[in-house]
Amino acid sequence: MRRNGFAATGMLSALAILLTSGSAPADPIEDFYKGKSITLTIGTEPGGGYDQYSRTLARHIGRFIPGNPTVIPKNVPGADGIQAAHRLYNLAPRDGTEIGSFHRGIPVLPLIGQMKEIEFDAAKLGWIGSLNKEASLCMSWHTSPVKTFEDMLRHEFIVGVTAAGASLDTFEAPLMNVFGAKLRVVAGYRGGQTIDLAMERGEIDGRCGVSWSSLVARGADWFKDGKINILLQFGLQRHPDLKEVRLMQDIAIKPDDKEALELLQVPTLIGRPFLAPPNLPPERLAAFRSAFNAMISDPGFLADAAKQRMEVQLVTGEEIQGVIAHAYGTKPQVLARARDLMKVPEKP
């Protein structure tokens, strides 16, 4: 009996070794993405800041997603990102094979009464993260008579914009409504680069809502040659490199105006956002967030970003989710004032 006991024990041990000596448990994320590609929908024209950040992410993030999928950037411009937002929210597959990036102002538009033409709820999107917290500026070309913020109140200031959602509602309109700035807005440019070219040619005086990170990356010679004047910055906090440049709400006097202007600056914390469609399987959203956080501290990614003079700051998907939830809890009277400030004044 003793020998039979030893034999039984040996058989059980051999069976245990056999069962545990095979391949490691399968990773469902790796199994799903192995051999696949992910489409990265970019809501702007090629060549601008969002496109630059998106294509840099596309080169690197696949290394940090189990299964190492290829990430393929695809520009879907239109209505300054609203077309891409519509696609990601309503049309894109919800299995993790498509993610996107669009203008940081878009998530707030439904809150303040914009984007009624499509179904869109920013709180339902799968926020992956952002590559920076953004500071935006109002600037003029050196040949313009407008050299300071106060000059905007005395002289006509011709600025170029693309479409609502980029800057017109959140930057130019509030400047006119709160301060009486003498802005004349020329709309219809295809993107930031075309606005910059128009400024260099003298077709317009300047632009408002240009990202500091884009300006540093693309306009280094402008600073060196004294070609631009920085008039104002937009955001919830002054950028460390722009401590002497005032925020819009610093100049406002009425408390309701200050609160409304701060609400309109919430997108600056969203920066350069990346997101997934609604109802993405939670484990795949978690994999995207983990990959994003790992990528942003990777030496290869950081060297690529530095070569392009890109400003990089991690904003996690959870942080963005929290910022949006806070914005959607804004008091009704502040929301009403913000909506008023976003209305472009009629021409006299």
Side-chain angles (χ1 to χ4, degrees):
M1 292 294 294
R2 188 176 181 85
R3 285 198 301 272
N4 289 341
F6 279 125
T9 301
M11 289 176 65
L12 291 172
S13 299
L15 180 60
I17 292 171
L18 181 64
L19 291 173
T20 59
S21 62
S23 60
D27 181 340
I29 301 296
E30 182 176 358
D31 287 347
F32 178 77
Y33 281 114
K34 192 169 184 179
K36 282 191 172 68
S37 62
I38 298 171
T39 299
L40 173 56
T41 296
I42 307 169
T44 63
E45 292 280 347
Y50 285 93
D51 184 67
Q52 179 188 32
Y53 275 80
S54 295
R55 290 178 182 276
T56 304
L57 174 134
R59 287 195 292 272
H60 295 276
I61 196 169
R63 294 187 283 118
F64 301 94
I65 299 172
N68 304 128
T70 302
V71 180
I72 303 172
K74 179 182 178 182
N75 295 86
V76 182
D80 208 58
I82 291 178
Q83 184 173 324
H86 170 61
R87 169 167 180 79
L88 287 161
Y89 191 88
N90 296 296
L91 303 175
R94 302 186 176 197
D95 61 356
T97 57
E98 183 169 349
I99 60 175
S101 179
F102 47 63
H103 196 279
R104 59 187 170 273
I106 287 176
V108 181
L109 294 183
L111 176 65
I112 48 188
Q114 307 292 317
M115 279 182 73
K116 295 178 181 178
E117 68 276 14
I118 66 170
E119 181 185 351
F120 186 85
D121 184 343
K124 293 181 180 179
L125 292 164
W127 295 98
I128 296 169
S130 174
L131 288 177
N132 73 339
K133 297 176 183 178
E134 195 57 79
S136 294
L137 307 172
C138 199
M139 68 177 184
S140 67
W141 196 240
H142 66 104
T143 56
S144 169
V146 175
K147 311 290 186 187
T148 67
F149 168 79
E150 285 73 20
D151 287 341
M152 278 196 284
L153 312 183
R154 296 188 291 262
H155 303 285
E156 182 181 65
F157 184 41
I158 305 172
V159 294
V161 301
T162 51
S167 67
L168 180 58
D169 294 342
T170 52
F171 299 135
E172 285 90 353
L175 283 171
M176 291 185 272
N177 288 321
V178 176
F179 307 105
K182 298 182 182 299
L183 270 63
R184 179 152 67 90
V185 179
V186 180
Y189 290 98
R190 291 175 63 87
Q193 284 191 319
T194 58
I195 299 175
D196 290 343
L197 287 172
M199 186 173 63
E200 289 181 306
R201 295 185 189 122
E203 297 171 12
I204 58 176
D205 290 316
R207 59 183 298 200
C208 293
V210 59
S211 298
W212 172 244
S213 58
S214 294
L215 194 58
V216 169
R218 301 202 310 263
D221 289 342
W222 291 351
F223 289 102
K224 183 179 66 174
D225 300 334
K227 293 293 182 70
I228 57 172
N229 308 295
I230 297 177
L231 313 175
L232 194 67
Q233 66 173 306
F234 307 100
L236 292 176
Q237 299 174 338
R238 296 191 187 193
H239 191 281
D241 295 337
L242 301 165
K243 291 181 180 179
E244 302 305 315
V245 181
R246 291 172 293 178
L247 294 165
M248 185 161 51
Q249 58 267 30
D250 291 341
I251 307 170
I253 297 173
K254 296 178 181 179
D256 283 353
D257 286 345
K258 286 182 179 289
E259 288 188 60
L261 290 172
E262 286 176 357
L263 172 64
L264 296 179
Q265 306 316 305
V266 163
T268 62
L269 287 180
I270 300 174
R272 306 283 184 176
F274 294 89
L275 54 131
N279 300 321
L280 185 70
E283 65 276 11
R284 291 180 193 166
L285 176 59
F288 274 124
R289 286 177 170 176
S290 178
F292 186 89
N293 295 348
M295 178 200 70
I296 208 168
S297 60
D298 173 65
F301 167 79
L302 291 173
D304 192 357
K307 185 178 180 180
Q308 301 176 75
R309 298 177 181 173
M310 289 168 49
E311 185 176 59
V312 174
Q313 294 174 289
L314 172 63
V315 186
T316 67
E318 292 86 350
E319 286 180 276
I320 297 175
Q321 207 89 46
V323 165
I324 290 173
H326 180 74
Y328 276 72
T330 301
K331 295 179 292 186
Q333 63 268 30
V334 176
L335 283 177
R337 182 56 180 156
R339 292 186 187 114
D340 286 342
L341 296 185
M342 294 178 66
K343 296 175 182 176
V344 179
E346 294 183 6
K347 294 180 181 180

